[in-house]
Amino acid sequence: MARVCGLGLLLVLLLPLVGASMPGMVFRLNKGTLKYVSDITKVPLQRVLKVTLPYFLVHSRGVIQPTRLKILSVYVYHLRLKFVADVGVNLLAAANFNIKVYRVREPLVLTLPVILMADVRVAQGPIQTPIVSVSSCNSTYGNITVLDGVNSTSRLGMILLQKHIETAFNNKLCLSVSSLVQFINVHLGTLIGLKPVGPESQIHYSMVNMPTITNDYISLDINAVLFLLGKPIVLPLDATPFMLSRNVGLRDTMTTLGLSQDLFDSVILLLQKAGSLNLDITGKLFSDDNPLNTSVLGHLIPEVAKQFPDPMPVILKARLGATPIATLRTSNATLELRPYIEVLAAASNSDFRSLFTLNVVVNLDLQLSVSKVKLQAATTLLGDIQLTVASSNVGNINTRQMHSLVSSVFEKPLLDHLNALLGLGIALPTVANLYYMSPKVFVYEGYVVISSDLFYQC
Ligand SMILES: *[C@@H]1O[C@H](CO)[C@@H](O)[C@H](O)[C@H]1NC(C)=O
Ligand SMILES: *[C@@H]1O[C@H](CO)[C@@H](O)[C@H](O)[C@H]1NC(C)=O
Ligand SMILES: *[C@@H]1O[C@H](CO)[C@@H](O)[C@H](O)[C@H]1NC(C)=O
Ligand SMILES: *[C@@H]1O[C@H](CO)[C@@H](O)[C@H](O)[C@H]1NC(C)=O
Ligand SMILES: *[C@@H]1O[C@H](CO)[C@@H](O)[C@H](O)[C@H]1NC(C)=O
């Protein structure tokens, strides 16, 4: 695995984006990615270029002497990757090969400068994954310099030796680059799959069409599909294709990731369907800080005092009727929840009596963040919760009094619950060992942009 570190990173980014239908994402790799990839690719490239060389036949006084050649080291002193519009990535590597010639009389150490050029094509594979392949590759050579053993080197011998090594390199160097790319392809193919969101839910990414490749970036349109218990979450409305304009987020980060409103809607629909947004708050008797008991309610509602002469615990069951609404406005993400709360009192140890139900509106501010590979959110309350009585089995209810009681027992558990839930986050498109570095999240009208560098841990 360590072998493919580096050059692998770029390719890694292109592959794990797998899946089926609607909510859109755009994943854009900027020039900064190439700079980073070339920095960390040098060492693995040096390793694959250290090929074996065939014996060189030395003609000496009428005798043919097979001579062993060995690459002692490869030093890639310059590596440049650049985007090539409509193709993929062009690689230019300048390297010095130090080669030992095991001559009988006196070993020779020489240096051969090589320039390696390759085009790596990025395309869409048959199963909605990007695939990469070397579409053209060649090497050019400088002249051999002898480092050691100068004395007995004939000029003709050097020219023959150089020809011998070039022939071997012509066959082998491009194959090495190709096999590195192929190995990465195969290796990455195993990483396609569902990523867990919750215990029973997953997210699945896929590439929608051919990548858009310009001289400045590669952009991938990605579908994200969420699954609950193996079934896809389907938005009620036809989702609109998501596009990302050029000048969003930060200019100089390695990647720009655009997340559509549809993605947020899907996540919320998933949480709602999974029942994760439901919450029970149970009162305890003889507790100084939990006013959820019938004696406190009895002071506000005479009928409760009448029905429950002895103090009994009270339960709030908050359930979501309507789907919560996430709203994305410039620099501002909010979430509106409309739970109904059923208030029940214990009539006996196992039996609960419904007292009344409330319709509640809670507006929350969402602070989005990215941690390693996950998009997370934290919430705070925006303004006061609003509340109306939906139905009552205990007569008239003073909404104002109920408001302060419910606010005091509901708000904190709700925020704690949501923050724990949203803190789990959802996996963004990535693969093992690849992390988002110094990510910044920007909220725009109807979409979110993450500008981030990347860190590949070999
Ligand atoms: C060598 O390869 C590069 C990149 O693939 C290409 O642009 C160039 O034309 C090739 N040169 C020759 C002489 O084939
Ligand atoms: C290599 O050597 C030959 C002959 O000395 C010379 O003509 C040629 O310019 C040299 N090439 C390079 C790249 O230095
Ligand atoms: C090269 O030849 C010189 C003089 O003949 C000698 O002093 C020197 O040791 C030789 N060098 C090697 C590496 O054989
Ligand atoms: C009911 O709740 C109030 C307020 O938390 C508390 O002071 C009181 O002790 C509770 N009564 C019982 C019987 O638990
Ligand atoms: C975000 O929008 C909500 C609702 O429009 C508003 O109440 C809140 O003040 C806004 N927050 C910021 C930081 O602009």
Side-chain angles (χ1 to χ4, degrees):
M1 231 109 302
R3 275 185 63 217
V4 290
C5 221
L7 185 63
L9 171 65
L10 175 72
L11 312 167
V12 151
L13 291 169
L14 304 178
L15 228 115
L17 323 164
V18 193
S21 73
M22 278 330 208
M25 267 193 191
V26 171
F27 196 101
R28 194 184 287 150
L29 300 172
N30 304 317
K31 281 183 175 170
T33 306
L34 293 185
K35 172 78 181 67
Y36 179 58
V37 170
S38 60
D39 285 349
I40 62 173
T41 295
K42 273 186 194 170
V43 170
L45 184 62
Q46 285 173 175
R47 212 172 297 140
V48 297
L49 291 179
K50 220 170 147 188
V51 296
T52 53
L53 288 169
Y55 278 75
F56 175 56
L57 302 179
V58 178
H59 299 256
S60 172
R61 296 185 195 103
V63 187
I64 294 173
Q65 185 74 55
T67 306
R68 189 158 82 88
L69 303 178
K70 188 185 175 202
I71 297 177
L72 298 178
S73 63
V74 181
Y75 173 54
V76 174
Y77 60 89
H78 178 70
L79 178 61
R80 199 246 317 104
L81 298 174
K82 67 174 188 195
F83 291 120
V84 182
D86 303 325
V87 176
V89 176
N90 173 265
L91 173 149
L92 183 146
N96 282 328
F97 286 71
N98 289 322
I99 299 164
K100 187 162 183 176
V101 184
Y102 291 85
R103 294 190 308 185
V104 175
R105 268 177 300 140
E106 180 195 15
L108 194 66
V109 177
L110 50 86
T111 297
L112 177 65
V114 178
I115 307 282
L116 199 64
M117 293 230 275
D119 285 338
V120 178
R121 182 174 290 279
V122 182
Q124 187 189 25
I127 52 163
Q128 292 183 300
T129 59
I131 49 172
V132 290
S133 56
V134 174
S135 60
S136 100
C137 176
N138 56 56
S139 35
T140 49
Y141 307 92
N143 286 329
I144 280 177
T145 339
V146 177
L147 299 181
D148 212 351
V150 190
N151 282 358
S152 49
T153 312
S154 83
R155 201 171 130 65
L156 179 65
M158 267 311 116
I159 290 171
L160 290 174
L161 183 58
Q162 168 132 16
K163 275 213 143 92
H164 173 79
I165 296 171
E166 283 184 14
T167 307
F169 277 2
N170 282 340
N171 288 330
K172 293 198 167 187
L173 297 188
C174 284
L175 274 179
S176 290
V177 174
S178 242
S179 69
L180 182 65
V181 168
Q182 280 309 318
F183 178 73
I184 289 159
N185 254 344
V186 171
H187 163 61
L188 294 177
T190 65
L191 294 174
I192 297 165
L194 298 168
K195 287 151 206 272
V197 175
E200 292 156 344
S201 49
Q202 292 96 18
I203 192 162
H204 190 252
Y205 293 113
S206 68
M207 203 178 161
V208 183
N209 44 27
M210 285 294 285
T212 304
I213 306 168
T214 73
N215 289 328
D216 293 316
Y217 61 86
I218 290 186
S219 179
L220 305 171
D221 293 335
I222 291 163
N223 274 340
V225 180
L226 288 139
F227 290 87
L228 178 62
L229 293 167
K231 292 213 176 82
I233 296 292
V234 180
L235 290 178
L237 294 174
D238 266 357
T240 42
F242 176 58
M243 318 246 257
L244 193 63
S245 71
R246 186 72 189 101
N247 297 308
V248 291
L250 298 175
R251 274 167 164 267
D252 298 325
T253 53
M254 294 182 199
T255 62
T256 310
L257 184 58
L259 314 176
S260 66
Q261 171 85 50
D262 291 329
L263 178 73
F264 287 84
D265 292 349
S266 287
V267 172
I268 288 163
L269 195 56
L270 173 85
L271 293 177
Q272 185 197 7
K273 289 193 172 197
S276 312
L277 294 167
N278 297 335
L279 180 64
D280 287 354
I281 304 167
T282 313
K284 269 208 213 98
L285 288 186
F286 308 111
S287 142
D288 284 342
D289 55 359
N290 191 338
L292 280 180
N293 61 52
T294 51
S295 45
V296 170
L297 273 185
H299 286 298
L300 309 175
I301 309 164
E303 181 62 25
V304 172
K306 215 171 100 190
Q307 284 186 21
F308 298 88
D310 296 327
M312 294 302 268
V314 166
I315 286 186
L316 299 189
K317 278 181 182 288
R319 297 288 177 268
L320 284 180
T323 303
I325 299 166
T327 307
L328 303 172
R329 295 266 154 72
T330 307
S331 306
N332 189 346
T334 56
L335 183 63
E336 187 198 80
L337 299 181
R338 289 177 173 268
Y340 63 88
I341 298 180
E342 185 175 19
V343 180
L344 306 104
S348 69
N349 277 344
S350 59
D351 184 24
F352 286 85
R353 198 179 297 162
S354 178
L355 304 179
F356 54 92
T357 57
L358 305 167
N359 283 329
V360 178
V361 181
V362 186
N363 282 299
L364 299 158
D365 182 55
L366 281 181
Q367 293 105 41
L368 301 169
S369 60
V370 175
S371 161
K372 286 195 165 176
V373 295
K374 284 184 163 187
L375 177 67
Q376 300 171 315
T379 59
T380 51
L381 206 57
L382 263 182
D384 233 0
I385 66 170
Q386 298 150 45
L387 162 166
T388 52
V389 177
S391 68
S392 169
N393 298 323
V394 288
N396 224 15
I397 289 166
N398 181 323
T399 312
R400 198 174 49 79
Q401 287 174 328
M402 206 46 62
H403 184 271
S404 62
L405 175 66
V406 169
S407 300
S408 73
V409 296
F410 183 58
E411 281 174 12
K412 187 176 181 306
L414 176 71
L415 289 180
D416 288 349
H417 176 69
L418 289 175
N419 282 326
L421 191 64
L422 302 174
L424 293 176
I426 59 160
L428 292 167
T430 181
V431 292
N433 300 337
L434 180 67
Y435 302 108
Y436 289 85
M437 264 256 291
S438 323
K440 299 272 184 312
V441 181
F442 301 91
V443 182
Y444 291 90
E445 195 75 27
Y447 62 100
V448 166
V449 168
I450 299 166
S451 284
S452 181
D453 286 336
L454 297 165
F455 175 66
Y456 193 71
Q457 203 167 44
C458 295

